[in-house]
Amino acid sequence: MTDKIVNYLKENRDTHLEELTDWLAVPSVSALPEHKEDVRKGAEWIADSLTNAGMDNVKIYETDGHPVVYGDWLKAEGKPTVLVYGHYDVQPVDPIELWESPPYEATIRDNKLYARGASDDKGQTFMHVKVLQAILKSEGTLPLNFKFCIEGEEEIGSPSLPKFIEENKDLLAADVIVISDTGMLDRGKPAICYGLRGMCAMQVDVTGPNSDLHSGLYGGAVQNPLHAITELLQSFRDENGRILVDGFYDNVQELTKEEREAFRALPLTEEALKNQLGVTELTGEEGYSHIERTWARPTLELNGVWGGFQGEGIKTVIPAKAHAKISCRLVPNQEPDEIIEKVKAHIEKHKPAGIDVKVTLFDKGAPYVTPFDHPAIQAAARSYEKVYGVPTAFTRGGGSIPIVATFDQMLNIPVVLMGFGLSTENFHAPNEHFHLENFDKGMETLADYWFELEKSIQKETTTK
Amino acid sequence: MTDKIVNYLKENRDTHLEELTDWLAVPSVSALPEHKEDVRKGAEWIADSLTNAGMDNVKIYETDGHPVVYGDWLKAEGKPTVLVYGHYDVQPVDPIELWESPPYEATIRDNKLYARGASDDKGQTFMHVKVLQAILKSEGTLPLNFKFCIEGEEEIGSPSLPKFIEENKDLLAADVIVISDTGMLDRGKPAICYGLRGMCAMQVDVTGPNSDLHSGLYGGAVQNPLHAITELLQSFRDENGRILVDGFYDNVQELTKEEREAFRALPLTEEALKNQLGVTELTGEEGYSHIERTWARPTLELNGVWGGFQGEGIKTVIPAKAHAKISCRLVPNQEPDEIIEKVKAHIEKHKPAGIDVKVTLFDKGAPYVTPFDHPAIQAAARSYEKVYGVPTAFTRGGGSIPIVATFDQMLNIPVVLMGFGLSTENFHAPNEHFHLENFDKGMETLADYWFELEKSIQKETTTK
């Protein structure tokens, strides 16, 4: 990367922030039907921005939901292609009264940009556009080929994107995908998330007698659905947190020695987590650290359990029904559909006497991991380190970003998660903001990365 | 009992029903503050009725809540004393739109008297007053001494009555207590309930992390309060329904061979119960029939369990808290306070790691049983049989009427539950009614009983 590029970014900082402020003023809330037109405005804004930055073939693709914005620059002949994914939709702003400045009027306080979408994900998507513009303006060309895929439904679970990818595999073909929609380890501590857990979720409904019963008149002689669901739910786990579903761990990819060592070296202590959560003790699967348990071990968690009387005092009832919401976090190489079948078989096998059980399935998403030592990951780490002056942490995430696994599976190319957010930046909450330190350093890091990446990977696909 | 008494009851039937209709018109709903004056009117009405029937010392005693009506007739020198308990308060009438005739305008359809309180308990209390009046008018005297204690807070749990009894032990001293506030086995099948289960109830609150957590980011490394409460609740019972609380069964009085045989002879089949409840299988403590399980075995039941997400779909949350409502039904000779301590000790011992547990106590009431072969019980059985022409069933109840145990413990005399209601008569529900067949036969039975009882028991206390 040249000084010219860095200087361009510095000289145009105010202009860039003004432009971003203009985009942040568009309330592109994908969840709310009344903002449908605003979501489209958000798409048009970034399409224009891509064109202004020098991208070609910019187009707004219709879907069954909100549109997808595409643009590319494919003049680096013989070079690999990068697909940059981002999203232009944002979360709702309620409770509005908790915002210290209006959510759609970007405001800078303490070098932080406050606005809905500042960090998640307009701010980070915008950085990618401006970095390519800076390189083009400074150097007249780009070191790699680029494609943008910027969707408008990430905050509602990307319902239209899988179909769009499936139908546009050639359009989106690339050698590596880069996504900036995650966070750093901490302020000043860059991190690359190279794995995410997958998920499957379901509801279990237990039905006993045909109506609520008086616990005096019938208690003792008829199965109580609350006892039954308790028995069933307890059968899922042993007291050391190990899941007892037959075959649950069959395909689980164990961590490598290197990964475990790298996790141990991270400044994420048990003590800090206990303090953060206000608990005196952490629990979980034996033989694994708290980091390994959340990043690389599967879980079966109860997200909701209910039945019977929940009011003040006592009502001596045997409820007719009891319910539970269950979700599993999955790790490579667990298959969501296979795990669902195993959990259903477990429920069938452990169904208590005297009740019926119904299982309803919800969302699912595959787990994802890019090999730790992939050249595209290592190149990103070097760029972070150059700009931030400290080694890059290699992390995995306990959560699930289904679209990452979708890209991984459909396009079969590595995904590099280079996030610049901080966990304190109130994504999805009032007073979302983006620390401008990472706006500035992040763009420098990305600019450097494209040159590092050009040196590190070979063109593998035919881009059209 | 003489024919004169029976004839008096027949001749005055219409007058009695008119009088009862007058009482039923008073909306003495103890639960609703707006009916406070009506509750007092209900007390005044029955006080007047006692006076008109020939009772002495009729008085309305104030309490911290609604008043208690007292009256006596103590001229049977050297004879035992009967304390008749009843209540003049009624349940609310909502949902009013489901009543086929106005709840406070008693209406006869199909020889059934429809009105709030017709059966529970104005109708049954009124029968006692009219029976004594009939005997006095026919014979000029009564075979026993009588005291009435008619309260106005039964439908709200009798909060003032224990104090009233404690402060008026001499006033209420008697040799036997008779209560008509329960039901028959079925139409034409009289029953004497000679035992009731007691109760203790509590809420268990489990607290884990200091706020709801994302199950992806933290799942696996921190105790989930829903898993913890599931583990704790499941520790209470084995898979055969036996309660695993240390010492829970220590003082449980086993059924006698005679009781078990009598229960087996009752026309209450497992098949009928399964059909009624709509279940394919009954469950419960091994070694006991469904009747024994509900009438004479203790339980620990979950009346409510809740925590986390209960809405549509999935929310991948680890909730900060989880809750359970628990109640135990107790049998002689379990002490509620002792059982509470044992359950609390169990919770302390089985508390899962990584959470705090708080226990809040609610209502409690002692179990109660009058020996099966007590002369006062056997006399009642004979009177029923004479009037109804079939043997009397000896039953126990799975529910709890705390005031019965209170009388039992405070006055230390047998309680005879001679109920004339039918389980189909909609107590506490719209269209409450009282089958007049049991109004007529019930009064005959009671009239006969006083003479049978006079022959069966001796005066044991000094009545003042």
Side-chain angles (χ1 to χ4, degrees):
Chain A
M1 183 184 57
T2 62
D3 287 346
K4 257 174 99 177
I5 300 168
V6 178
N7 287 339
Y8 177 91
L9 289 170
K10 281 185 183 153
E11 280 160 19
N12 287 277
R13 187 179 193 258
D14 288 351
T15 314
H16 290 164
L17 285 176
E18 277 166 34
E19 286 180 34
L20 178 55
T21 296
D22 194 42
W23 196 21
L24 292 171
V26 182
S28 48
V29 183
S30 50
L32 302 176
E34 63 263 35
H35 283 296
K36 191 164 187 290
E37 282 311 302
D38 295 318
V39 178
R40 178 164 295 272
K41 273 185 209 159
E44 287 163 357
W45 194 98
I46 191 65
D48 290 345
S49 184
L50 285 169
T51 303
N52 294 339
M55 298 298 113
D56 302 317
N57 303 310
V58 173
K59 186 174 166 187
I60 294 176
Y61 283 82
E62 299 305 324
T63 72
D64 293 338
H66 300 299
V68 173
V69 179
Y70 175 86
D72 61 30
W73 190 96
L74 304 174
K75 296 164 188 164
E77 212 173 312
K79 298 289 180 186
T81 301
V82 175
L83 176 63
V84 175
Y85 163 87
H87 65 92
Y88 63 84
D89 63 322
V90 297
Q91 282 275 325
V93 296
D94 286 327
I96 185 87
E97 66 274 14
L98 297 184
W99 285 80
E100 287 170 26
S101 53
Y104 301 118
E105 295 174 25
T107 308
I108 296 173
R109 296 192 292 276
D110 263 352
N111 203 32
K112 296 167 191 164
L113 183 72
Y114 285 83
R116 172 56 85 229
S119 174
D120 177 17
D121 183 48
K122 282 176 174 170
Q124 298 198 55
T125 299
F126 180 78
M127 287 161 66
H128 276 282
V129 180
K130 290 297 132 179
V131 164
L132 295 195
Q133 184 170 356
I135 301 173
L136 277 172
K137 292 281 183 188
S138 310
E139 312 292 328
T141 187
L142 297 175
L144 300 159
N145 295 298
F146 285 90
K147 296 178 175 183
F148 279 91
C149 171
I150 305 172
E151 72 153 323
E153 296 187 316
E154 198 273 346
E155 300 295 2
I156 54 171
S158 305
S160 306
L161 199 62
K163 190 178 163 203
F164 177 80
I165 298 172
E166 188 62 43
E167 291 175 357
N168 293 281
K169 277 192 175 170
D170 287 344
L171 183 74
L172 301 174
D175 299 284
V176 62
I177 297 170
V178 176
I179 300 178
S180 298
D181 194 22
T182 50
M184 300 174 44
L185 197 60
D186 203 346
R187 198 170 159 199
K189 293 179 184 162
I192 296 173
C193 177
Y194 68 96
L196 291 166
R197 292 197 287 191
M199 199 183 76
C200 59
M202 62 196 80
Q203 179 165 328
V204 174
D205 297 297
V206 167
T207 305
N210 49 19
S211 70
D212 287 4
L213 301 178
H214 188 294
S215 75
L217 302 184
Y218 301 100
V222 64
Q223 180 64 278
N224 178 332
L226 284 172
H227 279 291
I229 207 164
T230 295
E231 186 179 323
L232 180 62
L233 298 178
Q234 182 57 14
S235 74
F236 282 121
R237 271 203 342 180
D238 73 9
E239 69 266 32
N240 298 318
R242 196 165 167 89
I243 306 307
L244 300 176
V245 172
D246 277 350
F248 189 76
Y249 294 96
D250 275 0
N251 302 315
V252 167
Q253 191 183 91
E254 291 293 333
L255 287 163
T256 63
K257 193 160 155 278
E258 291 70 27
E259 281 179 296
R260 300 190 80 168
E261 274 168 18
F263 289 175
R264 257 197 294 277
L266 293 171
L268 302 170
T269 67
E270 280 210 18
E271 211 49 40
L273 185 59
K274 282 198 281 185
N275 286 341
Q276 182 198 336
L277 304 182
V279 295
T280 54
E281 195 175 350
L282 294 175
T283 65
E285 192 186 356
E286 269 190 9
Y288 296 92
S289 73
H290 65 294
I291 297 176
E292 293 165 353
R293 287 168 179 168
T294 45
W295 288 357
R297 299 299 299 172
T299 65
L300 183 152
E301 293 277 349
L302 307 179
N303 305 121
V305 177
W306 73 102
F309 181 64
Q310 302 181 24
E312 290 286 312
I314 193 79
K315 183 177 177 187
T316 50
V317 67
I318 295 174
K321 291 172 190 291
H323 316 271
K325 306 265 190 188
I326 298 173
S327 64
C328 296
R329 295 287 171 173
L330 309 177
V331 300
N333 296 313
Q334 290 179 301
E335 274 287 342
D337 286 331
E338 202 180 314
I339 294 296
I340 287 167
E341 287 314 308
K342 287 175 176 173
V343 171
K344 283 167 81 172
H346 178 97
I347 291 170
E348 199 46 48
K349 186 173 163 192
H350 292 267
K351 187 171 87 72
I355 49 132
D356 288 323
V357 180
K358 194 183 90 180
V359 178
T360 307
L361 302 180
F362 297 130
D363 296 359
K364 61 183 177 184
Y368 149 81
V369 70
T370 289
F372 197 67
D373 50 4
H374 191 284
I377 301 267
Q378 293 297 326
R382 286 195 299 278
S383 296
Y384 268 123
E385 186 164 346
K386 268 191 259 176
V387 176
Y388 282 87
V390 295
T392 304
F394 293 99
T395 66
R396 287 167 66 164
S400 309
I401 309 181
I403 202 61
V404 171
T406 303
F407 274 122
D408 183 39
Q409 291 177 326
M410 287 194 175
L411 302 182
N412 197 24
I413 50 175
V415 182
V416 182
L417 299 175
M418 292 181 78
F420 300 99
L422 295 176
S423 64
T424 51
E425 287 179 340
N426 292 17
F427 323 133
H428 297 202
N431 303 310
E432 177 181 346
H433 58 276
F434 189 27
H435 209 302
L436 292 178
E437 174 181 299
N438 297 317
F439 180 75
D440 299 327
K441 288 188 175 170
M443 286 204 277
E444 257 189 74
T445 304
L446 289 174
D448 188 78
Y449 179 48
W450 303 138
F451 292 96
E452 279 289 338
L453 190 60
E454 191 267 328
K455 289 184 267 177
S456 307
I457 65 166
Q458 303 300 314
K459 176 175 160 62
E460 283 175 9
T461 63
T462 306
T463 58
K464 292 176 187 178
Chain B
M1 184 184 56
T2 62
D3 287 347
K4 260 174 96 175
I5 300 168
V6 178
N7 289 337
Y8 178 91
L9 289 169
K10 281 184 183 154
E11 281 159 19
N12 288 277
R13 188 180 192 259
D14 288 352
T15 315
H16 290 164
L17 285 175
E18 278 164 32
E19 285 180 33
L20 178 55
T21 296
D22 195 41
W23 196 21
L24 293 170
V26 182
S28 47
V29 182
S30 51
L32 302 176
E34 62 266 36
H35 284 298
K36 191 165 187 288
E37 282 310 304
D38 295 318
V39 177
R40 178 164 295 272
K41 273 185 209 158
E44 287 164 356
W45 194 98
I46 192 63
D48 289 347
S49 184
L50 285 170
T51 302
N52 294 338
M55 299 297 114
D56 303 316
N57 303 310
V58 174
K59 185 175 165 185
I60 294 175
Y61 284 83
E62 300 304 327
T63 72
D64 293 339
H66 300 299
V68 173
V69 179
Y70 175 86
D72 61 30
W73 190 95
L74 303 174
K75 295 165 188 164
E77 212 173 310
K79 298 289 181 188
T81 301
V82 175
L83 176 64
V84 175
Y85 164 87
H87 65 91
Y88 64 85
D89 64 321
V90 297
Q91 282 275 325
V93 296
D94 286 328
I96 185 85
E97 65 277 11
L98 298 183
W99 286 79
E100 288 172 21
S101 52
Y104 300 120
E105 294 175 24
T107 308
I108 297 174
R109 296 193 292 275
D110 265 351
N111 202 33
K112 295 168 192 163
L113 184 71
Y114 285 83
R116 172 58 84 228
S119 175
D120 177 17
D121 181 48
K122 283 175 174 170
Q124 299 199 54
T125 298
F126 179 79
M127 287 160 65
H128 277 282
V129 179
K130 291 297 131 178
V131 164
L132 295 196
Q133 184 171 355
I135 302 173
L136 277 172
K137 291 283 183 187
S138 311
E139 312 293 328
T141 187
L142 298 175
L144 301 159
N145 296 297
F146 286 90
K147 295 177 174 181
F148 281 90
C149 171
I150 305 173
E151 71 152 325
E153 295 187 316
E154 199 273 345
E155 299 295 2
I156 53 172
S158 303
S160 307
L161 199 62
K163 189 178 164 201
F164 177 79
I165 298 172
E166 188 63 43
E167 290 175 356
N168 294 281
K169 275 192 175 168
D170 288 344
L171 183 76
L172 301 173
D175 299 285
V176 62
I177 297 170
V178 175
I179 300 178
S180 300
D181 194 21
T182 51
M184 297 173 48
L185 197 60
D186 204 346
R187 199 171 158 198
K189 293 181 184 160
I192 296 173
C193 176
Y194 68 96
L196 292 166
R197 292 198 286 192
M199 199 184 76
C200 60
M202 63 196 81
Q203 179 166 328
V204 174
D205 298 297
V206 166
T207 305
N210 50 19
S211 70
D212 287 4
L213 301 178
H214 188 295
S215 76
L217 302 184
Y218 301 101
V222 64
Q223 179 65 275
N224 178 331
L226 284 171
H227 279 291
I229 207 163
T230 296
E231 185 178 325
L232 180 61
L233 298 177
Q234 181 58 13
S235 74
F236 281 121
R237 272 201 345 178
D238 73 10
E239 68 266 32
N240 298 317
R242 197 167 166 87
I243 307 307
L244 300 176
V245 172
D246 276 350
F248 189 75
Y249 294 96
D250 274 358
N251 303 314
V252 167
Q253 193 183 91
E254 290 294 332
L255 287 164
T256 63
K257 192 161 154 279
E258 291 71 28
E259 283 181 293
R260 301 190 80 167
E261 274 168 17
F263 289 175
R264 258 195 294 276
L266 293 171
L268 302 169
T269 65
E270 279 209 19
E271 212 48 41
L273 184 59
K274 281 197 281 186
N275 287 340
Q276 181 198 337
L277 304 183
V279 295
T280 54
E281 193 175 352
L282 295 174
T283 65
E285 194 187 354
E286 268 190 8
Y288 296 92
S289 74
H290 66 294
I291 298 176
E292 293 166 351
R293 286 168 180 167
T294 45
W295 289 357
R297 298 299 299 173
T299 65
L300 183 152
E301 292 277 350
L302 307 180
N303 305 121
V305 176
W306 74 102
F309 182 63
Q310 301 181 24
E312 290 287 312
I314 193 77
K315 183 178 176 185
T316 49
V317 67
I318 296 173
K321 291 170 190 294
H323 316 272
K325 307 265 190 189
I326 298 173
S327 64
C328 296
R329 296 287 170 173
L330 309 178
V331 300
N333 298 311
Q334 291 179 301
E335 274 288 339
D337 287 330
E338 203 179 313
I339 294 296
I340 287 168
E341 286 314 309
K342 286 174 176 172
V343 172
K344 285 166 78 173
H346 179 96
I347 291 170
E348 197 48 48
K349 187 173 161 190
H350 292 267
K351 188 171 86 73
I355 48 132
D356 288 324
V357 180
K358 193 183 89 178
V359 177
T360 307
L361 302 179
F362 297 130
D363 295 0
K364 61 183 177 187
Y368 148 82
V369 71
T370 290
F372 196 66
D373 51 4
H374 190 283
I377 302 267
Q378 293 296 326
R382 287 195 298 278
S383 297
Y384 268 124
E385 185 163 349
K386 268 189 261 178
V387 176
Y388 282 87
V390 295
T392 304
F394 293 99
T395 65
R396 285 167 67 163
S400 310
I401 310 182
I403 202 62
V404 172
T406 303
F407 274 123
D408 184 40
Q409 291 177 326
M410 287 194 175
L411 302 180
N412 197 26
I413 50 175
V415 182
V416 182
L417 298 175
M418 292 181 78
F420 300 98
L422 295 175
S423 64
T424 51
E425 287 179 341
N426 292 17
F427 324 133
H428 296 203
N431 303 309
E432 176 180 347
H433 58 277
F434 189 27
H435 208 302
L436 292 177
E437 172 181 301
N438 296 317
F439 180 73
D440 299 327
K441 288 188 174 170
M443 286 204 278
E444 258 190 72
T445 304
L446 288 174
D448 189 79
Y449 180 47
W450 304 137
F451 292 96
E452 279 289 337
L453 190 59
E454 191 267 328
K455 289 184 269 176
S456 308
I457 65 164
Q458 305 299 314
K459 175 176 159 64
E460 283 174 8
T461 62
T462 306
T463 58
K464 294 176 188 176

